Amino acid sequence: MARVGFIGLGNMGGGMAANLAKAGHDVRAFDLSADALERAKAAGCLPVESAAAAAEGAEAVITMLPAGKHVEQVYEDSVFGAADTGAILIDCSTIDVATARRVADAAQAKGLAAVDAPVSGGIAAAAGGTLTFMVGGDAAAFERAEVFLSAMGKAVIHAGGNGAGQASKICNNMLLGATMVATCEALLLAQKLGLDPQTFYDIASVSSGACWSLNTYAPLPGMGPQTPADNGYQGGFAAGLMLKDLKLAMEAAESTHSETPMGARAAELYTKFADAGNAGVDFSGIIKMLGAGKV
């Protein structure tokens, strides 16, 4: 098995690094949080003192960071100077397309191969090793990255050249954000029309209204598979992260002169929801704001 440097051990990265260690890889892990490093150690990773130390001697360097500015800084300040020229650089953060391409170009200039590989699936999938990776990079780099990504996910899909992974993630989550809002609206309207929520779920989940936000991630407790709604809207995918992705989508829409009225409205609603103190609440919890008529 290979030595892997893993930088960024938050809610997603911690589970991902643990699965790499479980697969037998020698994982050198770094995070600014001492607690995150302790959890990584308990999961079989070797904590190191810096991002550069994680990258040294690694066959693959994986980053899972909050935003594009953090990715660019870590690469410029730590990874580029420490990584071996034979290493594959894999950024699993969700960032803007322009930064992803800029980082890949900088890596190439230093003789390094890089891919952007954002994920879909949330915290439970990160812990369970069932994430979906959408990967941007050339075919050779994708092939090198795939073996490591496969240890952390159920699906690894080559989306195209550098930046294509981020483009896929941004568009996917704009679709998710908008459909979750529409799902919440439909469930609330059904209730006001006197329909039993479970009965409506039984109908819509096998009809033309079926979608992931309803069938797999129902925003009302007690219907369908267990979701964060059954846990007081805790866990899952935080509304603040959904808002981050929607803002990235809106920036992309503006830069490409694209009309995205549904995405724009979803961004407005999630901004209001997060600003009301709900940034850490699961994004399906927006049903409470919609149900209260506070939109």
Side-chain angles (χ1 to χ4, degrees), residues 1-6 17 19-29 44-46 54-62 84 86-88 90 144-149 151:
M1 288 294 166
R3 179 183 291 188
V4 179
F6 204 107
N19 279 311
L20 284 165
K22 185 178 179 180
H25 293 295
D26 173 13
V27 182
R28 309 297 173 96
C45 303
L46 177 65
E56 288 173 0
E59 293 179 43
V61 180
I62 301 174
D84 293 343
I88 177 70
I90 306 170
R144 292 172 59 194
E146 186 176 16
V147 64
F148 301 103
L149 298 175

Side-chain angles (χ1 to χ4, degrees), residues 203-212 214-215:
I203 294 168
S205 63
V206 294
S207 300
S208 56
C211 62
W212 190 88
L214 177 68
N215 292 42

Side-chain angles (χ1 to χ4, degrees), residues 213-270:
S213 293
L214 177 68
N215 292 42
T216 303
Y217 215 86
L220 282 179
M223 65 168 58
Q226 187 171 16
T227 70
D230 297 301
N231 190 37
Y233 300 98
Q234 298 303 307
F237 186 51
L241 294 177
M242 171 54 77
L243 178 56
K244 169 196 167 185
D245 292 354
L246 286 168
K247 286 181 175 179
L248 288 172
M250 293 306 96
E251 291 170 6
E254 183 177 0
S255 70
T256 57
H257 307 290
S258 300
E259 294 294 333
T260 56
M262 298 298 288
R265 182 56 176 152
E268 291 172 3
L269 289 169
Y270 276 103

Side-chain angles (χ1 to χ4, degrees), residues 75-76 80-81 85 105-112:
Y75 271 58
E76 289 290 348
F80 287 152
T85 53
D105 288 344
Q108 186 176 17
K110 296 179 183 298
L112 295 161

